[in-house]
Amino acid sequence: MTDRSAARPMQEEARRRGLDHWLKWVARFGYAARGLVYVATGLFALVAALTRGSGAVGTEGALARLAQGPFGAAWLWIAGAGLLAFALWRFVQAGFDPEQGGVARGRSLYRLNRAISGAVHAALGWSAFQALDGLEDLSEEADARAQAAQILALPFGDLLLWGAAAALAVAAGGNLWKAWKHDFAEDLGASRTARRWAPWLGRAGYAARGLVFALVALFLARAALSQDPGAARSVGGAMQALEAQPFGSALLAAVAAGFLAFGAYAFVQAAWRRIRVPRALR
């Protein structure tokens, strides 16, 4: 009995270390997959800006383009599995707040934000596997309009679409606020040099996302006002609309650079972010 009692704490400690190691690698894999998707999105947008074409796409469109290229199935497997891993990490953050990201009155909002992010990335990861099986062509513009049409067909559908537009506007504001105020260096366990330059990637990335989310929210609001689902746009559609404006190629190139920066910062997070495992799971 004495030997067994003495072995239990060692077994428990080994179990905790194993869980810590597993969850940290899940989170890092997720950040890397997120980086892959945003770098691809930024590259396609940059090519569209430089060639003055209409090839800008959102994250779903970027997955579709990756699928069409060399080793397309492998890219989809990596992206799909990684995005689901990132969704799992977001749900852990929402449920347990291991990094104490929400404090006082902001804690519930922080957890809600992480839960929504988890759902969005889970849907994106699942769509990658659907494309792999040939079940979905990832036509993001058609999806955006079909979803708007489904919402408008519901009772009080226009109000629901206004709510979706408002939620996206809040998300846009949150991204812009983070670009302006957040201390990205405090999230990283990197060298002093990396902690100086990496935060600028985060700021540029969140600013670009905030701008694009605001445009998508504006198109949703127009769809709600006119009750025309055809007015809704996806992220790719919003970037294409941005390119159609005066000096649009320059604006799209700036957004593309921001998405590339966001993807690069996700790779930095995959390598150096401090991942804290919730005590409740230990």
Side-chain angles (χ1 to χ4, degrees):
M1 292 293 294
T2 304
D3 292 341
R4 290 181 180 177
S5 299
R8 283 174 187 167
M10 297 177 63
Q11 293 172 350
E12 187 65 20
E13 180 62 23
R15 186 191 69 81
R16 288 184 188 133
R17 288 183 179 180
L19 179 60
D20 283 7
H21 182 77
W22 176 81
L23 190 54
K24 286 177 180 178
W25 276 105
V26 164
R28 296 192 189 284
F29 180 36
Y31 281 115
R34 193 189 199 195
L36 169 65
V37 172
Y38 272 91
V39 164
T41 304
L43 283 174
F44 292 130
L46 184 60
V47 169
L50 295 177
T51 60
R52 297 186 178 182
S54 58
V57 293
T59 49
E60 286 191 6
L63 286 173
R65 295 278 183 86
L66 286 175
Q68 295 166 5
F71 309 106
W75 286 122
L76 284 182
W77 271 108
I78 293 169
L83 289 167
L84 292 179
F86 189 73
L88 175 60
W89 171 239
R90 282 304 204 213
F91 290 136
V92 169
Q93 289 179 307
F96 301 98
D97 194 9
E99 299 170 322
Q100 295 296 297
V103 293
R105 290 178 298 176
R107 178 161 292 172
S108 296
L109 184 60
Y110 170 87
R111 292 189 172 193
L112 177 62
N113 174 274
R114 291 300 183 266
I116 293 173
S117 176
V120 169
H121 285 90
L124 185 59
W126 181 246
S127 70
F129 288 119
Q130 287 182 308
L132 190 66
D133 292 336
L135 298 177
E136 186 176 319
D137 61 3
L138 294 181
S139 176
E140 54 186 355
E141 284 307 292
D143 284 350
R145 289 164 183 161
Q147 290 167 8
Q150 289 172 357
I151 293 173
L152 285 172
L154 296 172
F156 306 104
D158 56 337
L159 295 180
L160 292 174
L161 204 57
W162 275 113
L168 263 174
V170 170
N175 275 266
L176 293 172
W177 180 89
K178 199 166 186 177
W180 178 253
K181 299 292 288 185
H182 187 69
D183 183 4
F184 293 93
E186 69 182 9
D187 298 334
L188 304 175
S191 66
R192 184 175 298 178
T193 301
R195 284 164 61 87
R196 279 199 299 266
W197 60 260
W200 290 103
L201 295 174
R203 291 190 180 96
Y206 277 101
R209 289 208 330 161
L211 173 60
V212 173
F213 287 177
L215 288 173
V216 176
L218 178 61
F219 283 117
L220 273 182
R222 287 177 59 183
L225 183 63
S226 63
Q227 297 192 24
D228 175 17
R233 296 285 186 96
S234 67
V235 168
M239 288 195 287
Q240 292 171 18
L242 186 67
E243 188 181 17
Q245 304 306 309
F247 307 104
S249 293
L251 291 173
L252 181 59
V255 169
F259 272 56
L260 285 168
F262 190 83
Y265 184 69
F267 286 126
V268 169
Q269 290 177 300
W272 290 313
R273 185 179 174 89
R274 294 188 179 97
I275 307 295
R276 299 177 179 88
V277 178
R279 292 180 181 177
L281 296 180
R282 293 182 174 183

